Amino acid sequence: TDMARLAAQERLLYYPTPNNQIDLILSNIVERPGATIYDPCCGDGAAVHQIGTRLKCSKIFGTEVHKSRCRKAAKIINAYNGARELCQVTGQFDIVFDNPPYDVDVHGNRMETDHIIADLRVLGSGGLFIGIIPQSVLGDERLAMELAKHLYRLKVRRFTSPEFEVFKQVVVIGL
């Protein structure tokens, strides 16, 4: 509804990744000791910290536009306040964890598609991409083409119940 969308926009489209879904993600991934992980929309940093720690990453990075969430994230990860577009690195991270905002931009494009396409550029060669998106966005041709261009061995896992029934989200994992 329009009211729900306005409420989401007021929160800067922030919905943290549920802890039980992090377990789903991690059940599909092997440890990566010494890897660097980056979350371009890290929120309070909890999800990327949990994933990075359990994968034995040596460095955990994130960017967050909301100042108070970024301050909270900075207590547990290397967090930087600002838009992820300010991250001026290419191919620098071993793992990118992406739970971008869901909405339509002023041009009618899905924001999560634009975010993921841009965020794939910071993933190093042979790196691991983990993205959380609405199931309906899997049909976006631009997104499908970019995922196929940058990744292989793609897996798609739907959120477990009851979150899937509420949010209709999936996890896309690829190397």
Side-chain angles (χ1 to χ4, degrees):
T1 68
D2 288 339
M3 291 305 290
R5 186 171 180 196
L6 289 173
Q9 289 172 340
E10 186 175 294
R11 293 173 47 131
L12 293 175
L13 305 171
Y14 174 66
Y15 290 95
T17 305
N19 283 334
N20 62 332
Q21 302 310 316
I22 292 172
D23 291 335
L24 166 72
I25 292 166
L26 291 168
S27 72
N28 287 277
I29 302 170
V30 297
E31 290 180 355
R32 298 194 167 236
T36 56
I37 186 170
Y38 172 62
D39 183 345
C41 304
C42 73
D44 64 9
V48 71
H49 180 263
Q50 188 175 348
I51 293 169
T53 299
R54 292 201 23 212
L55 294 179
K56 300 188 183 317
C57 294
S58 63
K59 295 188 180 173
I60 304 170
F61 298 94
T63 52
E64 174 56 43
V65 296
H66 190 274
K67 285 183 182 180
S68 67
R69 282 195 295 263
C70 186
R71 279 194 296 274
K72 188 173 180 183
K75 294 177 182 177
I76 56 173
I77 67 169
N78 297 298
Y80 303 92
N81 183 230
R84 62 149 180 55
E85 291 86 356
L86 299 176
C87 183
Q88 297 295 314
V89 298
T90 301
Q92 297 297 309
F93 297 102
D94 301 308
I95 305 168
V96 172
F97 171 66
D98 211 349
N99 185 2
Y102 306 164
D103 205 353
V104 178
D105 68 16
V106 295
H107 305 292
N109 296 321
R110 294 296 311 179
M111 287 176 66
E112 54 272 39
T113 295
D114 292 340
H115 274 253
I116 289 171
I117 289 170
D119 298 339
L120 283 168
R121 71 178 167 74
V122 302
L123 187 63
S125 178
L128 173 67
F129 176 80
I130 307 162
I132 299 175
I133 58 172
Q135 183 179 25
S136 61
V137 176
L138 287 175
D140 184 308
E141 188 176 326
R142 284 187 324 124
L143 179 61
M145 295 297 290
E146 288 297 318
L147 289 172
K149 184 167 95 178
H150 291 281
L151 306 169
Y152 67 98
R153 292 179 53 188
L154 282 170
K155 290 182 186 178
V156 177
R157 300 288 186 258
R158 73 178 198 112
F159 267 28
T160 56
S161 294
E163 283 86 0
F164 181 77
E165 287 75 20
V166 175
F167 301 110
K168 305 286 191 242
Q169 290 172 297
V170 297
V171 180
V172 177
I173 302 168
L175 293 172

